[in-house]
Amino acid sequence: MLIEQETVPAKVASRQAPEVSVVLPCLNEADTVGACVRAAQRAMQENGILGEVIVADNGSSDGSPDLAQRHGARVVHVSPRGYGSALMGGIAEARGRYVIIGDADESYDFAEIPAFIEKLRDGFELVQGCRLPAGGGKILPGAMPGLHRWWGNPMFSLLTRWWFHAPIHDVYCGMRGFTRELYDRLGQRCTGMEFATEMILKSARYGVRIAEVPITLHPDGRKTHPPHLRTFRDGWRTLRFFLMYTPRWLFLEPGKLLVLLGVIGFALALPALTVRGVEFGLNTLLFASLAILCGCQAILFAIATKTFAVREGLVPADERLDRLFQNFTLERGVLLGGSALILGLVLLGVAVLQWWKADFGHLNYDVTTRWVISGATLTAWGFQAILWSFFISILRMPRK
């Protein structure tokens, strides 16, 4: 009798398009999936929300799909493995204008669904749950490992606010709501656990209206197997994804710093200056040359990566990049690189000429090596610039 009452929302939704679709990814969650389905149904029923519950099963072998179906959920079987794959499969079948996702392990209280719906109805496109006290959330004893609570989650959430300007304090929270229109617009690609962070980073990049709702995190209710999360593996995957998604901090800023240090090194070492008893000689010049070449390479990688990301729709168009390409054409890049290449070859030629004048014998290496390092640096940089000018132009070629 209890089950019949709890499945009313699903039956109603089958006759009329639901406003809300609750999607629960599932992989061997027999201990908890039934309770999560009932809790989501109850929250919608008690608050007059027309909705459906979809369980996206990712290959369970413990009878989870049958349990979910008996409790009134619509079960979608998703073959490709991965947290993101399961959610993609479930969301693809969702009929609601709004989608709520949450884990099927009883760690989230689905009675808090109305708070998410209220924000979505107010015009926010993405509503992120927050379990951390920094955002008003609450973590019950034993619900989150200390390393996650005090270091991993706050650190990655800080990077999310700093690098991507997303107004959230809990980047890892798996309970969130969003409009179906936003999901279709974002074009999610990550099939693993990065799916959740990809949604936040893309939304922030595209200027989506994002809200945060404080929630309470409960201890995992599963007894038959441990959580799927792996601290260090998943932490590295998050950092890797963050870096790949921000060419500025992966390539551009380190590249600018290296070029600056290289230029300073050249300014001190080329004239062999001594500053407060410290002599800047040939070794400094070599280090400076290395810094300039590596720094320029990093900057060029930043431009190429951002160009590719914009073309693929991973990030929105950037006015700064547009202005750069208005002034920096293939021809100008080749001209600049060719000029540096020729100048570098001239400096190398001077060194060879000095060697020739010495009958290919002993040279004053303190002098000639400065010509060689400077010439080699300019030659290498010019060659890089020519190749990268063509490469960037190929990336920017119009296509259908």
Side-chain angles (χ1 to χ4, degrees), residues 32-213:
T32 54
V33 67
C36 290
V37 170
R38 292 196 304 270
Q41 291 174 333
R42 185 184 303 114
M44 291 188 287
Q45 184 182 26
E46 292 178 351
N47 290 273
I49 299 171
L50 184 63
E52 63 177 350
V53 179
I54 297 174
V55 170
D57 186 70
N58 206 204
S60 297
S61 57
D62 64 349
S64 296
D66 293 335
L67 284 170
Q69 196 165 21
R70 285 205 301 270
H71 287 89
R74 183 154 58 94
V75 176
V76 175
H77 296 280
V78 183
S79 298
R81 287 301 184 98
Y83 174 77
S85 293
L87 284 172
M88 289 178 185
I91 297 170
E93 297 295 324
R95 297 179 295 156
R97 177 186 178 189
Y98 305 128
V99 178
I100 304 291
I101 63 173
D103 298 338
D105 58 7
E106 285 192 308
S107 59
Y108 297 117
D109 184 358
F110 289 102
E112 296 172 313
I113 285 177
F116 289 81
I117 301 303
E118 181 181 355
K119 290 290 186 181
L120 290 169
R121 287 171 176 169
D122 286 341
F124 291 97
E125 297 177 89
L126 173 62
V127 182
Q128 175 73 3
C130 181
R131 306 161 296 177
L132 299 181
K138 184 178 181 180
I139 301 174
L140 297 183
M144 183 182 292
L147 187 61
H148 297 189
R149 178 174 182 176
W150 302 111
W151 172 245
N153 205 333
M155 184 267 292
F156 282 118
S157 298
L158 177 63
L159 290 180
T160 303
R161 296 193 300 275
W162 181 21
W163 287 357
F164 303 96
H165 309 292
I168 63 165
H169 296 83
D170 186 3
V171 69
Y172 275 128
C173 184
M175 187 173 182
R176 68 184 61 174
F178 46 89
T179 66
R180 178 58 188 267
E181 188 276 333
L182 170 66
Y183 175 79
D184 292 338
R185 195 167 80 236
L186 290 179
Q188 295 278 131
R189 300 189 179 200
C190 293
T191 58
M193 53 83 63
E194 298 93 342
F195 177 93
T197 48
E198 179 191 10
M199 179 177 289
I200 294 174
L201 303 191
K202 276 189 174 180
S203 296
R205 281 282 190 248
Y206 279 95
V208 169
R209 291 192 66 196
I210 303 174
E212 195 170 53
V213 170

Side-chain angles (χ1 to χ4, degrees), residues 2 31 51 86 96 120 187 202 235 250 277 338 340 348 358 378 399:
L2 177 62
D31 291 338
L120 290 169
K202 276 189 174 180
L250 179 59
L348 292 174
L378 282 169
R399 64 180 182 181

Side-chain angles (χ1 to χ4, degrees), residues 351-363:
V352 173
L353 181 63
Q354 291 177 344
W355 190 30
W356 176 71
K357 289 183 177 180
D359 293 326
F360 301 104
H362 179 76
L363 291 172

